[in-house]
Amino acid sequence: MQHVTVPQDRIGVVIGAGGETMREIEERAGVRLDVDSDSGSVAIEEAGDPVAAMVAPDIIKAIGRGFKPETALSILDHDLRTLELIDLTEHTRNDNDLQRKKGRIIGENGRTRELIEELSGANVVVYGTTVGAVGGPEELQVVRRAVGMLLDGAPHGAVYSYLERKSNELNEDVDFQSPQ
């Protein structure tokens, strides 16, 4: 049995309306969930496919870090799709620095976060003291680098150029047109 702690304001999302999300996670991941709403603790017990059950803690963590349940459940849809969390406290000196760097990652009206998401192909959220990303290995590598650049103080224009270049490279890799 594994345990994951979820922030209080996200427990309701893990459970879902009438327990719907919890049941879907249990069914698709082959686990049984025991949610303690008071402490935020979620106990995960394997009930079916052990491989799918190994992913269940990441699904719960993803919802706890701000992802929609559908995005978190997408981890089950593809073998290489995973959750990555970047702890911003490791890159900041104090609360003011944390807020400033979160602001750089989110951007004006959320535009920078949206561009990171759009151009990397990964789903990205900024919640609390973490940046979370759900995607394939190449997508997560692009997100890590873009967030790292922003945390190091790189100009947004340089980060956008990097993202566009990587987006073009990723799209070229999946070009299945036959040679003429």
Side-chain angles (χ1 to χ4, degrees), residues 100-178:
R100 185 178 63 75
K101 288 186 177 182
K102 275 175 60 175
R104 284 182 54 76
I105 295 165
I106 295 168
E108 191 172 333
N109 298 319
R111 189 65 185 132
T112 300
R113 185 204 60 81
E114 287 173 1
L115 276 171
I116 293 171
E117 195 171 65
E118 185 181 311
L119 295 172
S120 71
N123 297 93
V124 179
V125 296
V126 179
Y127 179 88
T129 60
T130 61
V131 174
V134 172
E138 298 89 6
E139 297 166 345
L140 295 178
Q141 182 180 355
V142 171
V143 171
R144 269 192 307 274
R145 180 75 181 116
V147 169
M149 290 172 73
L150 290 166
L151 290 172
D152 289 342
H156 281 80
V159 177
Y160 300 157
S161 294
Y162 165 77
L163 286 167
E164 287 175 5
R165 189 173 67 251
K166 286 299 184 181
S167 175
N168 290 337
E169 287 175 17
L170 288 173
N171 290 334
E172 285 174 11
D173 287 347
V174 292
D175 187 8
F176 293 112
Q177 294 179 352
S178 58

